[in-house]
């Protein structure tokens, strides 16, 4: 016994000195036509990214017959043999609110549609992810849908989890999936005030302490996207994605305000949107510092290191706002 | 022949709309959009129905319909009517409908083969009995159907199903050659027209702008400018759009918008300038004033409606398109109005609303109304009058309304709309209110509050004006110190907490000689003397002034209301549903409860059966609180119902009686019971204080401290001193908290 003790002690010491495994990076791809630019390919290569969570389609309710149907399926413009593709299906919560929705039927149709896309594009998958902002009212149907989908597909299954579902998990319940992905963004309200709806540290603080006790293993999703909130007469009238802010700043129809918002000085059409004189554009984005802060916050509050960090979303446009090594820095936060 | 129309284009656009709305909902949050808002201006009054989806809507993509889903059925009626006209006397309408709209393709193929081969089979023989197969018109019809249905297999395909393959491209070149030939060789004008449309439609689904445009150029001069023509033109526009020729596409869509009312909503769906440059280019494509007007008419829906109105008016003051844009202009201005009577004074509200209405817009509308050059001068006078009212120019507004009345068609909706706005001009002008004003207002108030509540013309917007006028008049009365009238027009919670106000209202309501105006105010008021007396009875009860309570209750019809359970029961568990379900020989009415409470109090006063009376009184006062089985005692119009009434949580009177009972208790069983009942009161007090300010508790149940109960005094007594009683055992059985408390102590 005495001889073994030092051995045990030594091996314990060893194990506690082993470095924690840093998470692996992945991206979300959220466009309806899959085609990678050179810069995008390069970024993936430089960061050794092999996995792309690809939005395959949304599910919504048909406006006249109220039945669930697939919206805007993705089409592929190139081969993806070098990547692991994980299809993501975004299902609107109202689909589960509807009394007509049958979870078995929906699971079968969803899986079949995924297979149709895979077949056409010669993609093979081992995993599926479902993205749905479910509520207390829809948890029964949604969780049942996930169970059925797992059973039918026999694939690894993950689901997105939003902050309120972490904090109030006793009410909203936990999906029976292999892992969850915490969407650590879109925390606030889209409003004409001065707050940032994508990341707000005050709001985040209210939820971070709940992370520790969340029973499901979580990976994390972090945002590198930006958008502008289109405001008219103090009210929000739309969200403008992928705004080339420099283009707007140098456009004579717009003027930069003191708070860095833009105001429309003369009405005009731009990129298919009508900007009326007097309208304002409020830019929202996540700075590099904030992004690193978000990662650190998560690292501090999660009980387990996530295996993956998934960045939303893969688009050259988004990369322009960050240093090239941002992704490596994010990994190092954990 | 069923038709789908611009499926790709319209669907893409409506999906964009869907996705846009999707983003809003997915991200949650309050976007501050109200349905109808403060609108008192009904756009349907004078504007043609075909513009209806383009009226201003705060929360729908298209007013009234949401998204356009008529792609397949839009022209069914027109198509049926066209073909019935052509086939009159040779084919029954029932059969025409069958071939055009129902699943007739098998039969069409059979008959077409017969025409081609002259060979009859049993199906053909059957059909011969129903249809004059050799009639040339019938033959033309069937042959046409054969071609049309081939195209339909692509145009009608449901893109809402769960199929990934893109099925909406038509690649049958033989068909295209054949159909164009059919067009060229057709001798009958009707058939030629039908084939013309099929050809364009075919080229659309073949996705060739080049072929479609060539064919269109060649043939358009000799093609009648009917619905089919504009449907065809829309296909061309759609192809231009898909080829990214935005200026041309938008120009063509504006033509469709201008000349084909059923297609207005489709044109509006598809019209879409991308950059300022292509919009300006589209304008250059317009050759005549009418074409320019058409562009502004459709653009005004998306862009600056005031600019569009100005441009159209300058080009053609008689354009019909001005009218729908004017309703949008007015409804959009209305969105800026704020009537915050809770926080602002009347003069503040009026002054802010005056500023909110854009001054240039106001001046322009008034000028155009005065010029009387439009084709619906009465609509413009109405709109000008409304803006003049909002700007505080009441006398001038009267003139505008008078002109509108003189000139307008007297439909029920028009009359109602005019009356509403005229009436608003009356009450909104008041700075004070006296008997003369009241007499003047009375007829319209009766109409608005009583008649309109029963029946109004379809689409008539009166609800907002009804609410606003009540709040406005109430504010006027309040300003003058007439709190009773103020309350009648706009009931405020807490009015009855003030005894002076309560008594004043009672006095007023009991008046037998009310003026007609006062009678109206009483009839629109939510409460009556029954409600007030019952309220007073409850208040007195909770102050333990039972004789007064009885006096009040006797004057209210609430007296007869029955309690659901036995109010004198004091159980270990507070299970209201259980108590309500228990069999009772008679259920107590509210008055009976009070009378019996009085009896028991009299008994106590003479020391008769102190213990039992005290316990029963304690139970009664316990049960009439929120925690007891007789909540119904205090529920009522003034106190509210259900969750609204959680304020009745004070158990101190019950506690007082339980303590009396304890003092008079002789046996351990009795004492144990009293301690437990006191513990319940202690518990209720704890919960009330703890959750009073926790707004999330009712939904999330988020107990930060996770404490469910404390060691109540009663619990301690029971455990320490009365563990040998039968009652103790019962409590252990029924009260989980007590059980936990006892077991944790071990």
């Amino acid at each position: 016994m005495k001889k073994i003790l030092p051995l045990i002690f030594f091996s314990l010491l060893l194990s506690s000195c082993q470095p924690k495994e840093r998470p692996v990076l992945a991206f979300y791809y959220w466009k309806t036509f899959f085609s990678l630019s050179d810069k995008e390919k390069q970024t993936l290569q430089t960061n050794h990214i092999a996995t792309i969570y690809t939005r395959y389609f949304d599910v919504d309710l048909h406006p006249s017959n109220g039945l669930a149907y697939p919206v805007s399926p993705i089409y592929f413009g190139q081969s993806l043999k070098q990547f692991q593709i994980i299809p993501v299906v975004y299902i609107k919560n109202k689909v589960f609110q509807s009394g007509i929705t049958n979870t078995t039927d929906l699971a079968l149709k969803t899986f079949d549609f995924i297979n149709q896309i895979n077949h056409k594009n010669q993609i093979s998958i081992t995993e599926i992810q479902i993205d749905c902002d479910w509520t207390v009212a829809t948890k029964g149907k949604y969780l049942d849908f996930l169970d059925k989908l797992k059973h039918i597909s026999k694939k690894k299954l993950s689901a997105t989890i939003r902050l309120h579902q972490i904090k109030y998990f006793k009410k909203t319940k936990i999906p029976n999936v292999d892992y969850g992905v915490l969407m650590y963004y879109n925390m606030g309200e889209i409003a004409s005030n001065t707050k940032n709806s994508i990341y707000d540290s005050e709001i985040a603080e209210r939820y971070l302490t709940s992370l520790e006790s969340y029973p499901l293993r979580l990976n994390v999703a972090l945002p590198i996207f930006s958008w502008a909130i289109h405001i008219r007469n103090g009210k929000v009238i739309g969200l403008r994605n992928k705004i080339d802010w420099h283009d707007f700043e140098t456009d004579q129809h717009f003027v930069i305000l003191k708070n860095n918002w833009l105001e429309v000085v003369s009405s005009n059409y731009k990129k298919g949107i009508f900007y009326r004189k007097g309208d304002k554009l409020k830019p929202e984005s996540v700075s590099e510092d904030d992004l690193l802060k978000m990662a650190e916050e998560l690292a501090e509050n999660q009980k387990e290191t996530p295996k993956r960090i998934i960045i939303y979303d893969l688009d050259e446009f988004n990369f322009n706002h960050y240093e090239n090594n941002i992704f490596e820095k994010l990994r190092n936060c954990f | 022949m069923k038709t789908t129309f611009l499926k790709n284009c319209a669907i893409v656009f409506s999906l964009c709309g869907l996705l846009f709305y999707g983003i809003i909902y997915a991200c949650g949050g309050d976007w501050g959009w109200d349905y109808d808002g403060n609108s008192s201006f009904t756009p349907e009054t004078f504007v043609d129905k075909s513009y209806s989806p383009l009226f201003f809507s705060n929360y729908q993509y298209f007013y009234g319909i949401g998204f356009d889903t008529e792609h397949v059925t839009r022209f069914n009626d027109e198509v049926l009517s066209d073909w019935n006209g052509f086939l009159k006397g040779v084919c029954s309408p029932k059969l025409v409908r069958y071939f055009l709209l129902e699943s007739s393709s098998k039969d069409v193929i059979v008959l077409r083969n017969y025409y081609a081969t002259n060979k009859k089979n049993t199906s053909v023989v059957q059909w011969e009995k129903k249809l004059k197969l050799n009639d040339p018109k019938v033959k033309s019809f069937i042959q046409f159907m054969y071609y049309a249905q081939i195209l339909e297999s692509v145009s009608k395909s449901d893109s809402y199903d769960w199929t990934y393959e893109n099925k909406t491209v038509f690649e049958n070149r033989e068909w295209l050659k054949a159909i164009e030939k059919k067009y060229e060789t057709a001798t009958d004008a009707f058939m030629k027209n039908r084939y013309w449309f099929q050809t364009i439609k075919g080229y659309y689904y073949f996705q060739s702008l080049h072929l479609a445009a060539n064919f269109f150029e060649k043939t358009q001069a000799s093609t009648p400018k009917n619905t089919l023509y504009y449907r065809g033109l829309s296909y061309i526009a759609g192809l231009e759009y898909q080829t990214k020729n935005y200026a041309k596409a938008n120009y063509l869509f504006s033509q469709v918008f201008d000349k084909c009312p059923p297609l207005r909503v489709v044109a509006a769906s598809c019209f879409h300038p991308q950059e300022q440059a292509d919009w300006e280019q589209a304008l250059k494509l317009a050759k005549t004033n009418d074409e320019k007007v058409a562009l502004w008419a459709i653009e005004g829906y998306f862009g600056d409606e005031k600019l569009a109105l100005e441009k159209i008016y300058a080009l053609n003051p008689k354009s019909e398109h001005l009218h729908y844009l004017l309703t949008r202009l007015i409804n959009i201005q209305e969105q800026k109005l704020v009537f915050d009577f809770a926080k602002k004074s009347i003069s503040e509200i009026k002054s802010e609303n005056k500023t909110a209405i854009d001054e240039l817009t106001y001046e322009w509308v008034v000028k155009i109304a005065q010029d009387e050059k439009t084709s619906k001068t009465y609509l413009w006078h109405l709109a000008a009058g409304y803006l003049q009212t909002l700007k505080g120019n009441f006398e001038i507004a009267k003139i505008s309304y008078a002109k509108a009345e003189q000139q307008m068609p007297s439909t029920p909706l028009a009359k109602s709309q005019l009356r509403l706005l005229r009436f608003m001009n009356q009450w909104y002008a008041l700075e004070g209110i006296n008997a003369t004003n009241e007499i003047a207002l009375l007829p319209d108030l009766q109409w608005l509050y009583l008649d309109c509540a029963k029946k109004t013309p379809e689409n008539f917007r009166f609800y907002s004006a009804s609410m606003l006028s009540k709040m406005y008049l109430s504010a006027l009365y309040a300003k003058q110190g007439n709190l009773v009238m103020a309350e009648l027009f706009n009931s405020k919670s807490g009015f009855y907490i003030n005894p002076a106000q309560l008594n004043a209202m009672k006095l007023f309501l009991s008046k037998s000689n009310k003026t007609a105006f006062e009678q109206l105010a009483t009839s629109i008021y939510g409460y009556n003397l029954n409600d007030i007396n019952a309220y007073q009875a409850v208040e007195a009860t909770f102050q333990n002034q039972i004789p007064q309570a009885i006096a009040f209750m006797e004057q209210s019809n609430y007296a007869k209301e029955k309690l659901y359970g036995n109010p004198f029961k004091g159980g270990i568990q507070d299970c209201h549903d259980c108590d309500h379900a228990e069999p009772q020989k008679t259920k107590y009415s509210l008055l009976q409860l009070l009378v019996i409470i009085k009896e028991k109090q009299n008994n106590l006063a003479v020391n008769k059966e102190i213990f039992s009376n005290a316990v029963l009184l304690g139970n009664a006062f316990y049960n009439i609180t929120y925690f007891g089985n007789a909540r119904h005692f205090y529920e009522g119009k003034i106190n509210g119902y259900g969750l609204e009434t959680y304020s009745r949580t004070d158990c101190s009177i019950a506690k007082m009686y339980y303590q009396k009972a304890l003092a008079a208790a002789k046996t351990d069983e009795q004492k144990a019971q009293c301690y437990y009942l006191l513990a319940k009161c202690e518990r209720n007090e704890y919960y009330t204080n703890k959750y009073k300010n926790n707004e999330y508790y009712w939904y999330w149940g988020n107990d930060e401290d996770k404490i469910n109960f404390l060691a109540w005094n009663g619990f301690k007594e029971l455990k320490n001193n009365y563990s040998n009683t039968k009652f103790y055992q019962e409590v252990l059985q029924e009260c989980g908290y007590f059980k936990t408390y006892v077991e944790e102590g071990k």
Side-chain angles (χ1 to χ4, degrees):
Chain A
M1 194 56 198
K2 274 196 183 158
K3 283 192 188 163
I4 297 177
L5 262 170
L7 206 65
I8 295 173
F9 180 71
F10 185 60
S11 57
L12 275 173
L13 201 61
L14 256 185
S15 64
S16 70
C17 288
Q18 257 170 23
K20 270 196 296 187
E21 244 192 71
R22 290 184 314 155
V24 153
L25 288 165
F27 268 101
Y28 275 113
Y29 192 87
W30 220 258
K31 299 193 234 184
T32 46
F33 186 70
F34 194 105
S35 170
L36 297 175
S37 70
D38 288 334
K39 176 119 197 242
E40 288 159 8
K41 285 188 201 148
Q42 208 188 6
T43 305
L44 291 169
Q45 220 179 6
T46 317
N47 291 285
H48 312 292
I49 293 171
T51 306
I52 306 181
Y53 287 78
T54 310
R55 184 206 78 100
Y56 265 29
F57 55 98
D58 295 353
V59 179
D60 195 354
L61 295 179
H62 189 290
S64 25
N65 63 26
L67 296 172
Y69 78 103
V71 182
S72 304
I74 191 170
Y75 289 94
F76 289 87
Q78 63 181 83
S79 149
L80 306 132
K81 296 253 160 40
Q82 71 265 54
F83 300 110
Q84 179 201 15
I85 300 292
I86 300 179
V88 184
V89 179
Y90 171 67
I91 309 182
K92 290 242 185 98
N93 186 44
K94 70 201 254 220
V95 172
F96 295 107
Q97 281 169 328
S98 163
I100 324 178
T101 302
N102 174 294
T103 51
T104 313
D105 183 56
L106 184 63
L108 283 166
K109 288 196 162 101
T110 302
F111 184 56
D112 179 66
F113 202 72
I114 293 174
N115 285 336
Q116 286 182 51
I117 297 175
N118 289 339
H119 182 73
K120 176 91 202 276
N121 297 286
Q122 287 152 10
I123 300 171
S124 59
I125 59 165
T126 53
E127 243 192 85
I128 296 173
Q129 183 171 112
I130 301 293
D131 180 10
C132 175
D133 189 4
W134 85 96
T135 57
V136 172
T138 54
K139 66 172 184 254
K141 260 191 158 148
Y142 176 58
L143 265 46
D144 186 47
F145 163 79
L146 289 173
D147 282 340
K148 300 235 162 79
L149 183 62
K150 178 130 179 82
H151 179 72
I152 291 167
S153 67
K154 307 206 195 321
K155 305 277 180 210
K156 196 163 177 188
L157 191 60
S158 60
T160 53
I161 314 280
R162 289 158 175 78
L163 285 170
H164 70 90
Q165 288 148 350
I166 302 260
K167 184 164 183 181
Y168 300 111
F169 73 84
K170 288 203 177 125
K171 282 267 172 178
T172 57
K173 299 285 181 234
I174 305 154
N176 182 16
V177 292
D178 296 289
Y179 65 90
V181 176
L182 171 61
M183 280 175 54
Y184 199 55
Y185 48 92
N186 289 353
M187 304 174 182
E189 270 188 20
I190 293 174
S192 56
N193 59 25
T194 52
K195 295 191 181 262
N196 184 342
S197 73
I198 306 178
Y199 172 64
D200 182 316
S201 56
E202 267 177 46
I203 297 180
E205 230 182 303
R206 289 189 230 153
Y207 293 95
L208 283 168
T209 46
S210 322
L211 274 178
E212 214 194 349
S213 45
Y214 192 69
L216 177 66
R217 178 167 83 78
L218 285 178
N219 285 325
V220 301
L222 290 171
I224 58 169
F225 65 91
S226 58
W227 56 28
I229 299 180
H230 187 168
I231 296 163
R232 182 172 295 168
N233 291 327
K235 295 194 181 136
V236 178
I237 61 165
L239 268 181
R240 308 297 167 218
N241 280 306
K242 311 262 157 91
I243 291 267
D244 181 347
W245 207 248
H246 179 73
D247 177 29
F248 275 71
E249 279 177 335
T250 50
D251 186 326
Q252 308 277 38
H253 297 100
F254 300 85
V255 78
I256 311 173
L257 299 173
K258 273 194 217 140
N259 56 4
N260 278 330
W261 291 21
L262 287 175
E263 181 165 336
V264 182
V265 293
S266 53
S267 299
N268 67 106
Y269 282 94
K270 196 171 172 73
K271 303 264 182 313
I273 304 292
F274 178 70
Y275 292 99
R276 191 175 181 138
K277 178 173 171 184
D279 284 357
K280 296 202 171 73
L281 282 171
K282 169 188 172 188
E284 285 191 339
S285 61
V286 182
S287 68
E288 183 152 326
D289 285 343
D290 274 344
L291 195 56
L292 291 168
K293 182 175 174 204
M294 289 162 85
E296 277 157 14
E297 279 172 353
L298 289 173
E300 274 167 43
N301 284 282
Q302 277 190 285
K303 61 175 187 236
E304 262 182 69
T305 311
K307 293 214 166 83
R308 271 199 190 130
I309 307 172
I310 317 173
I311 310 290
Y312 185 95
D313 63 304
L314 177 58
D315 188 330
E316 182 177 326
F317 179 85
N318 294 336
F319 298 156
N320 295 332
H321 304 111
Y322 301 95
E323 299 285 310
N324 285 336
N325 60 358
I326 177 65
F327 303 116
E328 197 54 31
K329 280 191 187 168
L330 283 175
R331 286 186 75 205
N332 289 333
C333 291
F334 288 89
Chain B
M1 167 190 58
K2 280 191 204 169
T3 55
T4 51
F5 203 67
L6 291 172
K7 257 207 141 183
N8 285 347
C9 169
I11 284 170
V12 162
F13 209 74
S14 59
L15 283 180
C16 288
L18 276 169
L19 282 172
F20 169 63
Y21 275 70
I23 291 170
I24 296 171
Y25 284 119
C27 299
D30 177 14
W31 293 66
W33 287 356
D34 299 316
Y35 180 52
D36 261 356
N38 289 320
S39 180
S40 296
F41 195 78
T42 306
E44 290 90 337
T45 312
F46 295 123
V47 180
D48 182 69
K49 237 170 44 156
S50 70
Y51 290 101
S52 180
L54 307 174
F55 291 150
F56 176 75
S57 169
N58 231 340
Y59 86 127
Q60 284 183 308
Y61 196 78
F62 283 122
Y63 178 89
I65 64 172
F67 296 102
D68 178 22
T69 53
E70 299 286 294
H71 313 292
V72 173
T73 55
R74 195 183 322 273
F75 294 104
N76 282 357
D77 287 344
E78 191 169 327
V79 163
L80 276 174
S81 157
D82 288 349
W83 282 99
N84 275 324
F86 179 69
L87 293 165
K88 191 165 180 175
V90 299
C91 187
S92 73
K94 193 163 168 221
L95 283 177
V96 170
R97 167 175 270 273
Y98 170 70
F99 282 114
L100 286 171
L101 300 184
E102 295 169 31
S103 310
S104 59
S105 49
K106 282 210 181 96
D107 288 307
V108 166
I109 292 173
V110 158
L111 290 173
R112 194 256 179 175
N113 283 342
Y114 161 67
Y115 287 134
T117 63
N118 239 336
K119 293 202 188 121
K120 290 187 197 180
N121 60 21
T122 36
S123 252
V124 176
V125 169
Q126 294 280 13
W127 273 109
E128 261 186 330
K129 297 182 190 157
K130 295 184 243 179
L131 205 49
K132 297 181 187 155
L133 288 181
N134 292 317
D135 180 287
K137 283 189 172 173
V138 171
K139 192 171 172 182
S140 296
F141 179 47
I142 300 295
Q143 286 179 325
F144 172 86
M145 286 311 303
Y146 172 73
Y147 283 103
Q149 284 176 341
I150 290 174
L151 181 56
E152 263 193 346
S153 67
V154 163
S155 74
K156 215 169 47 102
S157 65
D158 189 353
S159 66
Y160 289 123
D161 67 6
W162 290 78
T163 318
Y164 182 57
E165 282 300 328
N166 194 345
K167 306 180 302 295
T168 53
V169 181
F170 185 67
E171 293 181 327
N172 191 334
R173 287 170 194 265
E174 268 114 58
W175 187 95
L176 290 166
K177 278 208 203 111
I179 207 80
E180 198 166 337
K181 186 142 184 228
K182 279 284 194 193
Y183 163 74
E184 280 160 12
T185 56
T187 49
D188 180 287
F190 179 83
M191 291 309 305
K192 199 173 178 82
N193 196 210
R194 281 1 249 195
Y195 279 118
W196 179 86
F197 177 67
Q198 288 296 311
T199 311
I200 303 235
K201 184 175 167 184
Y203 284 131
Y204 175 80
Y205 283 99
F206 184 65
Q207 301 264 276
S208 168
L209 172 60
H210 173 73
L211 292 171
N214 272 353
F215 177 75
F216 186 78
E217 282 308 301
K218 254 190 338 190
T219 57
Q220 66 145 324
S222 58
T223 307
K225 308 292 179 281
N226 54 16
T227 303
L228 288 182
Y229 176 82
Y230 289 104
R231 289 170 65 188
L233 185 60
S234 299
Y235 278 132
I236 306 291
L239 287 167
E240 293 280 4
Y241 189 94
Q242 284 164 32
T243 322
K244 300 197 200 294
N245 301 333
Y246 299 118
K248 185 88 185 278
N250 290 332
Y251 164 71
L252 294 176
F253 281 127
S254 76
Q255 290 299 303
V256 172
F257 180 90
D258 188 28
K259 307 255 179 29
C260 190
L263 284 172
R264 277 190 176 134
V265 66
V266 175
S269 289
C270 297
F271 174 89
H272 207 161
Q274 292 296 315
E275 299 291 336
Q276 194 58 17
D278 63 70
W279 163 239
E280 282 162 9
Q281 213 190 328
L283 281 168
K284 294 208 181 94
L285 290 174
K287 303 175 216 72
T288 63
N289 275 359
D290 274 350
E291 290 190 352
K292 292 200 176 87
V293 163
L295 274 166
W296 284 110
I298 193 176
E299 195 272 345
Y301 173 73
F302 294 97
D304 184 342
E305 67 284 346
K306 175 162 176 286
L307 179 64
L309 277 163
E310 287 171 344
K311 294 283 186 186
I312 296 173
Y313 186 77
L315 290 162
N316 177 13
K318 294 266 180 262
S319 169
E320 285 304 308
H321 299 310
L322 285 170
H323 310 308
Y324 100 90
L325 282 172
L326 176 64
T327 68
R328 285 186 67 83
L329 183 75
I330 302 296
N331 288 150
I332 288 172
Q333 290 297 309
E334 277 183 308
Q335 293 302 303
K336 301 185 196 174
L337 299 172
V338 180
F339 293 93
D340 190 357
F341 287 98
K343 299 202 186 104
K344 305 224 160 143
S345 70
I346 287 186
S347 51
E348 279 173 328
I349 290 173
K350 281 163 90 158
S351 137
E352 285 173 16
N353 283 337
K354 181 175 173 173
T355 318
I357 302 290
D358 178 60
E359 191 63 27
L360 292 173
T361 299
Y362 168 64
E363 282 168 5
W364 190 80
V365 171
V366 165
K367 176 172 185 306
I368 303 309
Q370 278 169 356
D371 287 352
E372 290 197 340
K373 288 194 197 146
T374 68
S375 61
K376 287 187 181 170
T377 53
Y378 42 88
L379 170 60
W380 289 81
H381 283 306
L382 197 71
Y386 185 36
L387 292 181
Q388 283 157 343
T389 300
L390 294 169
K391 284 283 187 188
N393 298 332
F394 304 109
E395 291 308 309
I396 301 180
K398 284 184 187 163
I399 301 175
S400 297
Y401 290 134
K403 288 198 183 137
E405 184 174 31
Q406 248 178 348
Q407 300 163 1
M408 71 186 200
S410 277
T411 64
L413 179 57
K415 287 198 277 205
S416 296
Q417 172 74 97
L418 177 65
R419 184 169 189 180
L420 189 86
L421 293 180
R422 253 189 172 146
F423 182 46
M424 184 168 183
N425 195 46
Q426 214 186 337
W427 57 261
Y428 198 61
L430 294 174
E431 292 292 321
I433 185 158
N434 56 32
T436 318
N437 301 134
E438 288 175 356
I439 293 173
L441 290 171
L442 185 59
D444 288 311
L445 280 180
Q446 284 171 326
W447 167 74
L448 184 56
Y449 298 153
L450 304 178
D451 299 343
C452 287
K454 294 196 201 109
K455 181 170 184 252
T456 54
E458 200 188 350
N459 297 317
F460 179 48
R461 295 181 186 184
F462 68 94
Y463 183 75
S464 175
S466 179
M467 287 288 99
L468 290 175
S469 61
K470 284 183 189 164
M471 293 199 284
Y472 189 89
L473 293 174
S474 172
L476 280 179
Y477 282 116
K479 202 165 80 165
Q480 289 167 197
N482 188 341
L483 296 181
V484 167
M485 286 305 273
E487 166 70 11
L488 290 174
F489 276 91
N490 185 15
S491 174
K492 295 226 167 76
S493 83
F495 178 81
Y496 288 102
I497 293 178
N498 180 320
Q501 283 170 195
L502 185 151
N503 287 324
M505 181 58 82
K506 270 185 101 167
L507 211 61
F508 173 83
L509 290 176
S510 332
K511 243 173 36 162
S512 53
N513 57 341
K514 294 195 187 76
T515 64
F517 190 86
E518 286 173 336
Q519 281 174 41
L520 174 71
T522 308
S523 70
I524 62 166
Y525 188 51
Y527 309 130
N528 57 30
L529 286 167
N530 284 317
D531 303 314
I532 302 176
N533 281 315
Y535 172 79
Q536 287 180 294
V538 170
E539 285 297 302
T541 308
F542 277 91
Q543 280 156 35
N544 204 356
Q545 286 163 4
I546 302 303
Q548 287 95 313
I550 291 176
F552 283 125
M553 190 56 90
E554 279 172 342
Q555 294 177 68
S556 169
N557 65 2
Y558 282 44
K560 297 178 271 154
E561 281 292 310
K562 300 281 193 194
L563 293 170
Y564 304 127
N566 180 352
F568 293 101
K569 180 173 181 217
I572 294 174
Q573 267 200 24
D574 286 339
C575 173
H576 305 168
D577 289 341
C578 308
D579 290 356
H580 296 174
E582 262 184 24
Q584 281 175 259
K585 250 199 245 149
T586 41
K587 301 235 182 206
Y588 294 91
S589 72
L590 303 195
L591 183 58
Q592 279 173 328
L593 171 64
L594 288 172
V595 167
I596 297 177
I597 287 178
K598 183 89 195 62
E599 276 171 21
K600 297 203 184 298
Q601 285 179 333
N602 290 342
N603 287 343
L604 263 191
V606 298
N607 291 335
K608 182 175 171 196
E609 288 167 24
I610 301 177
F611 177 77
S612 64
N613 279 311
V615 169
L616 292 174
L617 281 170
N619 290 345
F621 278 98
Y622 183 94
N623 279 320
I624 60 172
T625 68
Y626 178 77
F627 299 99
N629 66 18
R631 258 186 229 167
H632 192 54
F633 175 76
Y634 67 76
E635 282 182 335
K637 285 206 181 149
I638 295 175
N639 271 323
Y641 299 89
L643 267 179
E644 296 165 344
T645 62
Y646 65 85
S647 51
R648 294 278 177 209
T649 50
D650 185 5
C651 297
S652 47
I653 305 177
K655 197 165 157 183
M656 184 260 290
Y657 282 112
Y658 289 144
Q659 275 162 345
K660 274 199 164 72
L662 179 63
K666 302 238 163 46
T667 68
D668 275 358
E669 292 288 345
Q670 287 177 336
K671 290 183 192 163
Q673 190 189 2
C674 292
Y675 275 119
Y676 182 78
L677 292 169
L678 283 165
K680 280 191 356 184
C681 297
E682 210 184 319
R683 170 201 68 189
N684 295 346
E685 207 180 317
Y686 172 72
Y687 287 152
T688 305
N689 290 331
K690 183 176 177 186
Y691 297 117
K692 207 156 46 177
N693 296 317
N694 189 337
E695 66 179 282
Y696 289 111
Y697 176 70
W698 67 272
Y699 185 63
W700 294 115
N702 189 28
D703 275 326
E704 297 288 357
D705 59 18
K706 310 236 190 295
I707 296 175
N708 290 324
F709 68 97
L710 301 176
W712 318 117
N713 191 45
F715 275 14
K716 289 185 188 149
E717 284 286 341
L718 261 180
K719 177 176 163 200
N720 295 336
N721 303 324
Y722 298 98
S723 54
N724 55 332
T725 60
K726 207 171 84 164
F727 186 74
Y728 174 86
Q729 295 301 326
E730 285 173 27
V731 177
L732 260 185
Q733 278 271 70
E734 287 189 46
C735 180
Y737 287 166
F738 185 67
K739 188 156 191 258
T740 308
Y741 165 70
V742 164
E743 284 177 359
E744 266 173 11
K746 287 200 175 128

